[in-house]
Amino acid sequence: MPTFDYAPAPESRSVVDLSPSYGLFINGEFTEGTGSTFKTVSPATEEVLAEVTEASAADVDAAVAAARAAYTRVWSRMSGTDRGKYLYRIARILQERAREFAVLETLDNGKPIRESRDVDVPLAAAHFFYHAGWADKLDFAGLGTDPRPHGVVGQVIPWNFPLLMLAWKIAPALATGNTVVLKPAETTPLSALLFAEVCQQADLPPGVVNIVTGAGPTGQALVEHGDVDKVAFTGSTGVGKAIARSIAGTRKKATLELGGKAANIVYDDAPVDQAVEGIVNGIFFNQGHVCCAGSRLLVQESIAEEVEARLKRRLETLRVGDPLDKNTDVGAINSREQLDRITELAAAGEAEGAERWSPRCELPSKGFWFAPTVFTGVSQTHRIAQEEIFGPVLSVLTFRTPAEAVAKANNTPYGLSAGVWSEKGSLILWTADRLRAGVVWANTFNKFDPTSPFGGYKESGYGREGGRHGLEAYVRTGA
Amino acid sequence: MSVSADRVDVRKTYKLYVGGKFPRSESGRSYEVYAAPRGARSAAAGTRGAFLGNVAKGSRKDARDAVVAARKAQPGWGGATAYNRGQVLYRVAEVMEGRRAQFVNEVQAAEGLTAARAEAVVSAAIDRWVWYAGWSDKYTQVDGSLNPVAGPYFNISAAEPTGVVAVLAPQRSSLLGLVSVVAPVVVSGNTAVVLASQDRPIPSVSLAESLATSDVPGGVVNIITGHTAEVAPWLASHRDVNALDLTGAADVEGMAWGDLERAAAENLKRVLRPAGGGSGAQEPDFLPTPDLTRLRAFTETKTVWHPKGT
């Protein structure tokens, strides 16, 4: 049979207008920081995109002061209806500038334009639209009596879904009447800085949203700031624990969305073609840079061979390469540091005796790349079955009985998400009941929605984001 | 506690409650417990009243044994129907009602209350079980949701128990406070390891006896008496404990609740902080009807997706 290759189909970069350098967004204006600067690069090409300010402790202090003033003087006094209208405005501007955000996100993060265009940006806008409607309806949310804001919220987000995580953090905080200081990840600051422009366009009162860029020390200064009432963090379990320790003994509240090592359970009566698509989506979506990625495939022994064969055949068709190409399935690894970590863990998988396989694919010579990788013959004790890899690496394990599947799925300190594939409804519900995970996808995977609470059990953190439940973290109730 | 004129009363040995059994402390230790003088506001020693008894002084090992018992009991209790858990909690109220005179005497002695006040406190404690019993099959309805996601998916969120919860029971409110912190933990299907009030432990032992005769499966509630500051850190740092209730950290000498919260971060336990401001801790008034804060603090929201299609 003749095969037809894809012609390149690059999305135009012209929609994005990059500045050579960016300041901090404090009190409604871009200001020069007092700290140093750092460069953000395109992980697909290592091209320097812009120079960004590393916010110092003094800068963080100024941002928190601006947020406090905005909270006291403006935002906490504004009616819920008017707060909601600002959020609706932001949602609309995100929709209007969607393509610009998508291209910028793909440039800075390395994710395929198909994903930033069809997932990240529309979902971010949807989050603002959803929460806008809550702003004047909090009394009906069943959160308790007299729901009211905490005050100033310090938020630190990761690099895997920069704009979407910003939306998950800022939308509920603002809807409930809090003001925000947010620190984007050091490798992906640009969409947050573009969002600052959106706040200006929406005429959001100065100080309600403040964006401080920087790395770990900036985040730490924000989290530990004495005038921050609540902390919201998405990132690694290690940093999450450090935050939990640092706020111990204070009255600061925290929500933590941390790591995961999700099991994706495929029973022998599963619709195999759909399951294979779900497995691929579960681990290769966003290069596996997903805290809820289905990184452990648990497949029933009787169909393991068939599933592995079909999975490998499917992976041969994955297109790895230029993230701006509309036909690309798997983009670049976000940073050299992350690439090193994935490389190290994959090597450990081989060293511990698992069988490594990757499809034939040509990786670009520049940038940070890792071919989709499948390990078979993995056992529970292997590091690749225990540790979060946060990359396009799937570990395949087998099981015989549903009880064994559940036991293996739960045998992890994490508990963020899980998948179940079966045509039998009662088996799905039985399994879902027993999985210690905050999100269970049955016959689907990696679906997100602003109305659907997201968050983990155990060491995947605490609190939920999204839905009615997500509001709880941002209000005080009772006398 | 009452002394009759014509006979020598039989005094009681106050023991731990672990895994449905009443062992002594493995350490072999006990400590002396005295009545609070009438009108006593704090649990501070130095104002001791009559000798009430020698109470088992629980150790680190006792706390660990209790965690093992609680973990073992959790799947069964969490997997029981909500209707069943509700009936079991209601049964606790029934059994306590039958022993109310004993509870009134013990609370009166432990807390230095008038008889009338002790009656009111015991009534409130019994009624608290009834209140929480009713929540067992309603809480998931009130707190759960069907989420209208933008796509062809069925999407539902419901609360589940967190797992094993370590509870520092209030130091002053020896029965009402104790019930007010234990009932919201177990009603949703968690199991509990409870450190009873250090200086007022005797009502907790009688509560344990009520639990043991109320169809509450062994291990669902485990009660350790002893010195809070000695045992609490081992529970706070225990890797197989999922959550920590610090309500009883108020008025404990030699222990800062912030240290316990810090230790709890090691496996990201859910922590319910004590009432109060800053680093201070104060014991709340347990008489008013509670809200759902305590129940909610020890549950996890699980969201399940499934496609809709033909």
Side-chain angles (χ1 to χ4, degrees), chain A residues 119-251:
Chain A
V119 180
D120 295 61
V121 177
L123 269 178
H127 254 84
F128 279 97
F129 205 89
Y130 173 76
H131 285 95
W134 269 126
D136 57 359
K137 299 169 191 68
L138 297 171
D139 287 336
F140 302 89
L143 306 168
T145 54
D146 190 20
R148 51 204 188 279
H150 292 296
V152 175
V153 184
Q155 306 180 316
V156 176
I157 57 170
W159 45 260
N160 58 343
F161 296 93
L163 181 71
L164 183 58
M165 291 299 104
L166 173 148
W168 281 28
K169 293 281 179 287
I170 292 184
L174 263 48
T176 48
N178 299 279
T179 57
V180 162
V181 179
L182 177 133
K183 187 195 88 67
E186 62 268 33
T187 61
T188 56
L190 295 181
S191 55
L193 292 165
L194 185 59
F195 179 81
E197 263 183 48
V198 171
C199 294
Q200 289 178 327
Q201 280 190 334
D203 287 326
L204 188 71
V208 172
V209 168
N210 304 274
I211 310 280
V212 291
T213 46
T218 305
Q220 194 176 353
L222 176 57
V223 165
E224 294 180 0
H225 195 287
D227 202 31
V228 164
D229 300 301
K230 185 202 152 47
V231 172
F233 171 77
T234 298
S236 74
T237 290
V239 174
K241 288 180 181 181
I243 290 173
R245 275 191 287 269
S246 80
I247 63 164
T250 73
R251 296 292 167 178

Side-chain angles (χ1 to χ4, degrees), chain B residues 1 14 33 52-53 55 106 110 197 200-207 225:
Chain B
M1 234 62 63
Y14 296 98
V33 171
L52 296 179
V55 174
E106 289 176 353
S197 166
R200 303 173 172 186
I202 286 178
S204 80
V205 180
S206 297
L207 177 67
T225 50

Side-chain angles (χ1 to χ4, degrees), chain B residues 131-146:
Chain B
W131 194 77
Y132 275 112
W135 273 116
S136 72
D137 50 8
K138 297 162 195 72
Y139 173 68
T140 37
Q141 289 184 312
V142 168
D143 199 61
S145 58
L146 187 73

Side-chain angles (χ1 to χ4, degrees), chain B residues 153-236:
Chain B
Y153 295 92
F154 177 74
N155 178 297
I156 191 167
S157 296
E160 291 190 345
T162 296
V164 173
V165 183
V167 179
L168 272 58
Q171 299 297 335
R172 296 188 204 175
S173 185
S174 61
L175 182 68
L176 175 58
L178 174 65
V179 170
S180 299
V181 296
V182 172
V185 166
V186 297
V187 66
S188 63
N190 294 298
T191 53
V193 176
V194 183
L195 285 186
S197 166
Q198 175 173 316
D199 294 334
R200 303 173 172 186
I202 286 178
S204 80
V205 180
S206 297
L207 177 67
E209 289 164 6
S210 300
L211 296 169
T213 51
S214 303
D215 307 326
V216 179
V220 170
V221 179
N222 305 275
I223 300 178
I224 305 289
T225 50
H227 284 197
T228 309
E230 179 197 339
V231 182
W234 299 109
L235 289 171

Side-chain angles (χ1 to χ4, degrees), chain B:
Chain B
M1 234 62 63
S2 58
V3 181
S4 133
D6 53 357
R7 73 181 278 273
V8 175
D9 60 336
V10 179
R11 291 184 176 173
K12 182 167 159 182
T13 309
Y14 296 98
K15 299 196 283 187
L16 309 176
Y17 181 52
V18 175
K21 296 189 164 63
F22 290 90
R24 288 193 168 84
S25 170
E26 60 80 34
S27 66
R29 302 176 305 173
S30 64
Y31 67 112
E32 295 174 356
V33 171
Y34 294 87
R38 177 69 59 86
R41 302 199 73 121
S42 83
T47 52
R48 62 171 55 152
F51 173 73
L52 296 179
N54 290 306
V55 174
K57 188 178 175 189
S59 65
R60 172 178 73 167
K61 173 88 164 55
D62 293 320
R64 287 177 172 174
D65 290 346
V67 172
V68 171
R71 177 59 65 196
K72 194 174 165 204
Q74 202 279 324
W77 180 243
T81 64
Y83 179 42
N84 179 239
R85 282 199 306 273
Q87 288 187 91
V88 169
L89 262 57
Y90 183 76
R91 178 83 180 144
V92 178
E94 289 180 342
V95 171
M96 283 183 70
E97 192 78 54
R99 300 170 62 148
R100 78 175 283 128
Q102 179 192 355
F103 278 112
V104 169
N105 282 339
E106 289 176 353
V107 168
Q108 194 179 353
E111 302 183 19
L113 305 179
T114 62
R117 183 77 181 159
E119 287 275 359
V121 163
V122 171
S123 296
I126 296 171
D127 292 352
R128 187 97 348 133
W129 282 112
V130 175
W131 194 77
Y132 275 112
W135 273 116
S136 72
D137 50 8
K138 297 162 195 72
Y139 173 68
T140 37
Q141 289 184 312
V142 168
D143 199 61
S145 58
L146 187 73
N147 308 308
V149 296
Y153 295 92
F154 177 74
N155 178 297
I156 191 167
S157 296
E160 291 190 345
T162 296
V164 173
V165 183
V167 179
L168 272 58
Q171 299 297 335
R172 296 188 204 175
S173 185
S174 61
L175 182 68
L176 175 58
L178 174 65
V179 170
S180 299
V181 296
V182 172
V185 166
V186 297
V187 66
S188 63
N190 294 298
T191 53
V193 176
V194 183
L195 285 186
S197 166
Q198 175 173 316
D199 294 334
R200 303 173 172 186
I202 286 178
S204 80
V205 180
S206 297
L207 177 67
E209 289 164 6
S210 300
L211 296 169
T213 51
S214 303
D215 307 326
V216 179
V220 170
V221 179
N222 305 275
I223 300 178
I224 305 289
T225 50
H227 284 197
T228 309
E230 179 197 339
V231 182
W234 299 109
L235 289 171
S237 63
H238 198 297
R239 294 298 298 249
D240 203 30
V241 170
N242 299 101
L244 180 63
D245 180 347
L246 292 174
T247 303
D251 300 327
V252 177
E253 262 179 59
M255 189 187 81
W257 65 266
D259 291 340
L260 299 180
E261 187 182 359
R262 201 165 298 115
E266 193 46 42
N267 66 335
L268 291 167
K269 289 179 187 70
R270 286 75 176 114
V271 176
L272 185 63
R273 290 173 176 158
S279 60
Q282 69 190 47
E283 191 168 312
D285 176 10
F286 289 102
L287 270 175
T289 303
D291 59 19
L292 290 178
T293 304
R294 292 183 166 277
L295 217 169
R296 195 173 267 154
F298 304 113
T299 59
E300 305 286 336
T301 300
K302 179 187 280 178
T303 299
V304 181
W305 293 67
H306 195 280
K308 295 175 183 175
T310 53

